Amino acid sequence: MESRLRHIAGRGYKSYQAIQGDYDFGTFRLFIDHVQSDPFAPPSRLRARVAQSRARFPASLYANRIRTIALADLITRGFANSIRRYVKGSRGTGRSGVVLVDVGGQEILERTSCLVNEEFVEIRFSVGLPAAGRRCLGREALAIFFDEIPHLVEASLLYASYDPGVVAGHVYTAEDQKALRHQLAEHRLVAFIANDSVLPRASGVSDRPLRGRDVVAFTSPPELEVEFSAPNRDRVRGMGIPEGVTIIVGGGYHGKSTLLVAVERGVYNHVPGDGREYVVSRPDTVKIRAEDGRRIEKVNISPFISNLPFGQDTRAFHTDNASGSTSQAANIVEALEYGTSLLLMDEDTCATNFMIRDGRMQQLVPKEREPITPFLDQVRHLYSEHGVSTIIVMGGCSDYFDVADTIIAMDHYLPQVVTSQARHIARQQPALRMDESGGGFGDIGLRIPLPQSINPLRGSKVKAAAKGLHSIQFGYQVIDLGCVEQLVDTSQTRAIGDMLVYALRRGYIDAKTSLRQILERLFQDISDKGLDVISPFYGQHPGDYALPRPQEVAAALNRLRSLEVVRGGEHGRA
Ligand code: ADP
Ligand code: MG
């Protein structure tokens, strides 16, 4: 390699193509999988692999899937820290000299940045090959390959480069979070927030914990306090939110939304020190909000909306421009279609006419002239018929007192249970409204996506590229994920685009298979073969992906404006 680099020094940038290949550096192997075409193009993709005989990570640290994910996450963070320490950075034109690795934020997600198994540890990263103008800078390249990269490898791919306590903490905290999350259902809880958790974030643009004297650590009210055991730590106590309907009330600015967001993010594992390490919710929790303007493709929103003007069918409701209430109804029904056991709503982002309709309004506008059955009248049926619990932040309307199992008041950031006081008030001052739900919730049926309506081609090329966290360029279309609040990492967005392409290529979307089954097959492949499987560059540097949940993949497909489906059997709840 050294001689090749010396040979191409000073030549045109295209000469770098000659260094593509596989090199033995003695203590590690370097794969140069893809060489950029010019200094401004996305940096070249490389992998560095160290055999376990040298890396020596104890096998217990990657003995199961969650430990492996957490260990790979830690190594990726270690590599990123080493880049800050050892890489000079700019070494010429364009992106010359940059070294990048796809490191996550506060969550520990399965990602393709690092692979750990009993044979080796492999980091996947990118390097901007150095140039002056369009000439190869040989000496700078030599420094990157023979000085910087070996330093990075030594400082982050060997067990000996870490404090063993930090590694164990990272791996076992993640395992404990997962274990807690999976104990929720057997305890008939939907969420758990450990005492002493720190829920508020540093700012509206930072997901790091708020620090300082003003932080109020979380403390469970005695009525809801539960104790859990986790595999790697002492018992942990905190607030368990029971199944059923839970309302969070309290004055403005007393921490209601902060609590709800923590529960919403409780589907993910968090790094030690985040403050939400032991805040967990059901893995299939879905945050619901209004999303006017979105497209809806043949969704059965009839539990909430019927008798629309011009007799539009709301059992297979279609629109290119949903209203606040129809979008919120569709978001709920789509969540049920994939499968969920917990819905979260915050009045700040809900459509008012979807949530409530009080007694006086019922008198003025009779049911026959109002298409909407408010969520208030379906929330109990959702639980009794479908086993779906709901947590709603609702500071402004007392009608929900009548349907709630648990009412929590946030007061100066601390929760109190006020269920009996609220019930007492509701008895003294009845709401005087009628239940409008009629026949209950009912089954929502299945939808079967049609492959010809999902086209990733842009001209003759496949295009499925994330544009930031909340948007995917898919063929000629843009999928808008701005209201999909549980998407947390751009690499998840990137993965979703390629997962859709993968499902098409594998023939999983075949006009016979329901959306839910398509996602099950897709996620089965990923769990069998690893997240690399969705990459068009399988076997090389796969690209930078992090695993999204099926809920977010479904959300993306449901927002593809060209999507067409046929409705399957109306009976199954599959
Ligand atoms: P609400 O939804 O009740 O109006 P928010 O949850 O939006 O209130 O919180 C209001 C402010 O208080 C936010 O800036 C938030 O970061 C901060 N905050 C929330 N919880 C805490 C806490 N436990 N300690 C300190 N500050 C908090
Ligand atoms: Mg709020």
Side-chain angles (χ1 to χ4, degrees), residues 252-253 255-258 346-348 393:
Y253 223 67
K256 302 183 299 295
S257 299
T258 303
D346 190 326
E347 61 184 345
D348 293 354
V393 168

Side-chain angles (χ1 to χ4, degrees), residues 462-485:
V462 170
K463 179 92 183 173
K467 302 270 177 245
L469 179 59
H470 287 298
S471 132
I472 300 173
Q473 179 79 47
F474 193 81
Y476 287 107
Q477 304 178 64
V478 174
I479 304 177
D480 179 359
L481 301 170
C483 291
V484 180
E485 296 180 351

Side-chain angles (χ1 to χ4, degrees), residues 285-364:
T285 298
V286 179
K287 173 73 180 292
I288 297 292
R289 56 170 293 165
E291 190 181 350
D292 54 293
R294 67 158 285 191
R295 184 168 177 278
I296 298 173
E297 169 63 5
K298 297 202 184 88
V299 175
N300 179 1
I301 58 169
S302 64
F304 299 109
I305 295 167
S306 52
N307 304 323
L308 281 182
F310 311 116
Q312 289 182 63
D313 183 5
T314 59
R315 282 167 308 155
F317 184 71
H318 166 96
T319 179
D320 285 322
N321 189 5
S323 64
S325 54
T326 49
S327 63
Q328 200 170 343
N331 285 347
I332 292 172
V333 174
E334 287 169 352
L336 292 178
E337 181 184 24
Y338 179 71
T340 180
S341 57
L342 177 63
L343 301 177
L344 305 177
M345 296 184 199
D346 190 326
E347 61 184 345
D348 293 354
T349 50
C350 287
T352 308
N353 61 342
F354 180 79
M355 298 306 284
I356 52 178
R357 216 163 97 76
D358 69 14
R360 296 202 290 199
M361 193 57 82
Q362 286 180 326
Q363 281 183 38
L364 186 67

